[in-house]
Amino acid sequence: MTTKQIVLAARPNGTPILNDFRFEDIELDELQQGEVLLQGMYYSVDPYMRGRMNEGKSYVPPFELNKAIEGGVLATVLESKSDLFKTGDVVLGSLPWSEKMIASDKNLQKIESTVESLTYYLGILGMTGLTAYFGLMHIGKPKAGETVVVSGAAGAVGIVVGQIAKIHGARVIGIAGSDEKASLLKQEFGYDDVINYKTTGNIKNAIANLCPNGVDVYFDNVGGEISDAVIQNLNFHARIALCGQISLYNSTKIPLGPRIQPMLLTRSVLMQGFIISNFQKDFPEGIAQLSKWVNEGKLKFTETIIEGFDQLPAALLGLFKGENKGKMIVKA
Ligand code: NDP
């Protein structure tokens, strides 16, 4: 049986381009005992994949040149030689960007959806929802009446962070890249106010104006000059949950920003980076809490679903142009 896959054709120099990817037709092997034949349905595209396109050591190994890109995929079982899964089951796994694929049953999770959409398992009840939950609850620790600032606020992680902070009684200010995103965050997701960083001249002053009592928690998804501006407004004993630095992922040289250590020192600020897998043993608790809030209507979510397997590379590049609201997903 032949299928189409997408491989890493070249390591990007700076911002990735479509030519860094290549489509190939491949022949699938015979199904072995303990394996399933899968049909990909929904493919997650995530900023961390940009890091895997580079060579070098990180917390996940780089994608190999001329091998299929890999990421979170929701797939249907077409054929099974596994005792764990039967034809028609829906599974989630870290799988190749391939229309069909053979996978070992050891690395798959069966999905039995109790919420309105299966794709929630790539977003609010998946990696990005858990990132929002653990980063905010374990590092940010917002208290009622405090002010929380979230960068990358209209993305998959940011949309959830703001709502969890509101559930805990905080005032929440977002930073996002368009007026449309700002309105969505305020009207649908409970953000108290939002700064459009692309049209706001002085972000430091804009934050000072919107946060007259200073910033107690900063959930940082983007880094760079946006974070420099937020950090100038931190309160004594503020906490920074260092989640992502997307503004720097395509940099060939990391720009030198202001020296922030004196500010962190004199204001007794905690700044802690984290990788979601640090919290793996607590995932069942995180999923249970997120599901409860979703089912109670306290946590809402949105997705940008792009149609067509062939759109996967463009969708990944779109994350760096702000083309998504909420979780970016490709539907095959
Ligand atoms: P998003 O859904 O937020 O998508 C990326 C968004 O980033 C874009 O929509 C865009 O929105 C914004 N963006 C892109 N380039 C820039 C830039 N130069 N400056 C400012 N904003 C930019 O992605 P996720 O929610 O999945 O991830 C958010 C962050 O969290 C990423 O940095 C990611 O790497 C990180 N992350 C970390 C994890 C961890 O374990 N620590 C796990 C998951 C994610 P806009 O229109 O606002 O510019």
Side-chain angles (χ1 to χ4, degrees), residues 140-329:
K141 298 184 177 163
K143 298 189 209 55
E146 286 191 328
T147 300
V148 175
V149 172
V150 185
S151 57
V157 174
I159 272 186
V160 182
V161 172
Q163 293 177 87
I164 299 176
K166 289 302 296 178
I167 289 171
H168 288 84
R171 176 175 154 73
V172 183
I173 306 299
I175 304 174
S178 73
D179 289 346
E180 194 193 343
K181 289 184 180 184
S183 302
L184 179 80
L185 289 169
K186 285 189 279 185
Q187 284 160 20
E188 299 288 329
F189 297 101
Y191 270 72
D192 293 289
D193 226 318
V194 180
I195 294 166
N196 176 349
Y197 72 89
K198 289 188 179 159
T199 55
T200 301
N202 187 323
I203 300 173
K204 178 188 160 202
N205 288 352
I207 292 166
N209 288 337
L210 290 177
C211 308
N213 298 325
V215 176
D216 301 294
V217 177
Y218 175 41
F219 196 102
D220 186 8
N221 282 315
V222 307
E225 289 175 6
I226 292 174
S227 295
D228 297 341
V230 179
I231 287 169
Q232 304 294 318
N233 287 288
L234 291 178
N235 279 337
F236 196 72
H237 276 154
R239 289 83 67 197
I240 303 174
L242 194 50
C243 175
Q245 297 282 288
I246 194 167
S247 74
L248 305 177
Y249 293 171
N250 292 326
S251 304
T252 44
K253 268 206 304 215
I254 300 293
L256 183 66
R259 306 275 185 193
I260 58 170
Q261 288 89 336
M263 176 78 72
L264 303 187
L265 168 70
T266 54
R267 298 189 190 175
S268 302
V269 172
L270 170 76
M271 173 157 148
Q272 189 178 332
F274 72 99
I275 302 298
I276 188 54
S277 53
N278 299 352
F279 297 100
Q280 195 137 18
K281 72 170 179 28
D282 298 321
F283 281 1
E285 174 238 310
I287 290 169
Q289 180 59 80
L290 290 164
S291 306
K292 183 166 180 286
W293 283 329
V294 169
N295 291 328
E296 288 170 354
K298 291 184 179 160
L299 210 48
K300 294 193 287 180
F301 200 55
T302 190
E303 297 158 333
T304 296
I305 299 188
I306 296 182
E307 297 263 345
F309 176 79
D310 291 1
Q311 297 305 311
L312 269 164
L316 180 58
L317 306 195
L319 290 173
F320 296 89
K321 298 183 235 161
E323 287 174 359
N324 60 308
K325 294 186 208 81
K327 182 77 191 88
M328 184 73 118
I329 291 169

Side-chain angles (χ1 to χ4, degrees), residues 3-190:
T3 192
K4 185 160 59 175
Q5 69 173 14
I6 305 171
V7 303
L8 180 66
R11 298 207 183 275
N13 181 20
T15 303
I17 55 172
L18 290 177
N19 281 346
D20 294 330
F21 304 87
R22 190 175 63 242
F23 289 82
E24 285 181 345
D25 288 323
I26 53 155
E27 191 70 29
L28 290 176
D29 293 335
E30 282 288 304
L31 202 59
Q32 304 295 318
Q33 203 52 44
E35 290 182 338
V36 284
L37 171 67
L38 300 173
Q39 174 79 53
M41 286 193 295
Y42 292 101
Y43 296 74
S44 180
V45 285
D46 297 277
Y48 78 88
M49 295 174 136
R50 171 64 187 87
R52 295 192 71 184
M53 294 175 81
N54 291 341
E55 206 149 24
K57 210 172 157 197
S58 185
Y59 64 95
V60 268
F63 294 133
E64 285 182 57
L65 274 177
N66 304 312
K67 295 263 174 70
I69 305 280
E70 184 186 286
V73 180
L74 278 166
T76 320
V77 177
L78 292 179
E79 204 182 316
S80 176
K81 284 200 175 172
S82 156
D83 299 333
L84 304 178
F85 304 105
K86 60 179 190 316
T87 302
D89 282 350
V90 175
V91 294
L92 172 65
S94 182
L95 294 166
W97 277 10
S98 185
E99 287 186 315
K100 293 187 175 63
M101 62 290 267
I102 287 175
S104 159
D105 63 7
K106 290 189 185 61
N107 307 319
L108 299 172
Q109 178 195 347
K110 188 169 169 180
I111 297 298
E112 287 178 273
S113 181
T114 53
V115 287
E116 70 187 68
S117 172
L118 267 184
T119 52
Y120 274 32
Y121 288 90
L122 297 179
I124 197 162
L125 302 180
M127 194 260 289
T128 53
L130 290 167
T131 299
Y133 177 73
F134 286 111
L136 187 66
M137 298 316 296
H138 284 250
I139 301 168
K141 298 184 177 163
K143 298 189 209 55
E146 286 191 328
T147 300
V148 175
V149 172
V150 185
S151 57
V157 174
I159 272 186
V160 182
V161 172
Q163 293 177 87
I164 299 176
K166 289 302 296 178
I167 289 171
H168 288 84
R171 176 175 154 73
V172 183
I173 306 299
I175 304 174
S178 73
D179 289 346
E180 194 193 343
K181 289 184 180 184
S183 302
L184 179 80
L185 289 169
K186 285 189 279 185
Q187 284 160 20
E188 299 288 329
F189 297 101

